[in-house]
Amino acid sequence: MQLIHEIPGLRQTLAGQTEIAFVPTMGNLHEGHLALVRQARLAAPQGQVVASIFVNRLQFAPHEDFDRYPRTLKHDCELLAAAGCDIVFAPDEREIYPELQTYKVHPPVDLDQILEGHFRPGFFVGVCTVVLKLFNIVQPSIAVFGKKDYQQLMVVRQMVSQLALPIKILGGETVRSGEGLALSSRNAYLSDEQRVEALRLSQALKALIAGWQAGGRDIAALEAWAMAQLREHGWEPDYIALRRQHDLGSPEPGQALVALAAARLGSTRLIDNFEVG
Ligand code: PAF
């Protein structure tokens, strides 16, 4: 496996490759990322699997954890090599943003300003801008994103479709601990006690789904009830929501749905979701 830090070197190495499967990450990798790399490997058996590691300042608000986000390049590279990655692209900030990034990708308001976008203004602009830039640098034929960041996957899919990028976007299933905690780089911030408490987020989502499946149709009341469960145990929920899988709009019976949540446990913000039907 090759580790490349600069754009010209990466372009030279990939020149002439027609099958490139790409997994963009911010590093501090866990089994969830490695599953995406294995999925990329399977999707492009004869091609090159490229993973990027870049903590993208543009998608963090000033009060968020950009500075304390764990940087673990050496260990990440060992994990990536074992998972079948061919090339790691790990640029520094000057490589990706040599000047102030004034051209940015703004997703449509109906996706950009709901759920994650409502609570993290500017987040999807930062994500889309760096993802488009990484796509231009790597020029993949396939890119794999985790379903754990459900709205991010949808935003990227729409960007690729509307901008006619020749890239097939694959969604990777969320990987969970034995107890059911969705793997996340941010789990590293949790104390042992919080790690146990963190399971309540997926439980609250399952309770919301159970309420819907039992015939509850007052979605606002179901969501408020699920959030109250979390608050009782010291969480600060941003949202727990039941939405259509297709576009994250308000659900109707008979449609494929997704339950999504974001909540803060201490100073750590966790997200999770489950598809229904
Ligand atoms: O999901 C992530 O890790 C990031 O949002 C991504 C897609 C690598 C863009 O910085």
Side-chain angles (χ1 to χ4, degrees), residues 24-26 33 54 56 59 123 127 130-131 145 149 152:
T25 82
M26 298 204 301
H33 296 108
F54 179 66
N56 175 37
Q59 70 192 69
F123 173 68
V127 168
V130 81
V131 167
F145 290 80
D149 294 280
Q152 168 174 281

Side-chain angles (χ1 to χ4, degrees), residues 34 38 65 126 131 168 218 231 237 271:
L34 302 178
R38 288 188 206 106
D65 55 345
V131 167
K168 184 172 170 187
D218 183 345
R231 279 199 195 95
I271 61 171

Side-chain angles (χ1 to χ4, degrees), residues 16-223:
Q17 295 287 341
T18 50
E19 199 179 43
I20 298 171
F22 179 43
V23 183
T25 82
M26 298 204 301
N28 192 28
L29 304 181
H30 50 69
E31 194 47 44
H33 296 108
L34 302 178
L36 302 181
V37 171
R38 288 188 206 106
Q39 192 172 345
R41 177 80 280 161
L42 280 174
Q46 312 300 329
Q48 293 287 300
V49 173
V50 179
S52 64
I53 296 179
F54 179 66
V55 186
N56 175 37
R57 188 188 291 275
L58 221 59
Q59 70 192 69
F60 287 78
H63 64 276
E64 291 182 337
D65 55 345
F66 176 79
D67 287 326
R68 72 167 177 150
Y69 202 90
R71 273 86 167 162
T72 52
L73 181 63
K74 190 167 175 289
H75 187 233
D76 289 346
C77 286
E78 289 164 9
L79 295 175
L80 286 168
C85 181
D86 298 306
I87 297 171
V88 179
F89 177 51
D92 69 13
E93 269 205 289
R94 274 160 311 170
E95 194 66 13
I96 297 295
Y97 299 125
E99 58 188 315
L100 194 63
Q101 185 73 31
T102 48
Y103 281 78
K104 292 180 183 163
V105 181
H106 288 261
V109 171
D110 59 349
L111 250 192
D112 183 46
Q113 288 176 20
I114 60 167
L115 304 172
E116 280 304 282
H118 176 76
F119 288 96
R120 301 186 70 189
F123 173 68
F124 289 120
V125 173
V127 168
C128 284
T129 303
V130 81
V131 167
L132 182 60
K133 206 156 182 176
L134 290 167
F135 282 171
N136 285 332
I137 294 166
V138 176
Q139 303 203 355
S141 45
I142 296 166
V144 193
F145 290 80
K147 283 195 191 176
K148 179 170 160 288
D149 294 280
Y150 202 86
Q151 194 176 354
Q152 168 174 281
L153 172 60
M154 189 171 286
V155 167
V156 169
R157 267 192 209 286
Q158 284 202 6
M159 175 179 79
V160 164
S161 161
Q162 291 202 8
L163 298 181
L165 303 179
I167 304 169
K168 184 172 170 187
I169 302 296
L170 302 179
E173 295 302 325
T174 300
V175 178
R176 295 176 184 276
S177 70
E179 300 79 35
L181 179 63
L183 298 193
S184 162
S185 301
R186 290 191 167 99
N187 293 351
Y189 302 148
L190 300 172
S191 66
D192 289 348
E193 207 178 307
Q194 285 176 324
R195 210 166 245 275
V196 176
E197 177 58 33
L199 296 171
R200 203 176 299 278
L201 190 63
S202 59
Q203 288 161 2
L205 281 168
K206 286 184 177 159
L208 172 64
I209 293 167
W212 169 265
Q213 288 174 334
R217 289 297 174 261
D218 183 345
I219 291 179
L222 284 174
E223 292 173 353

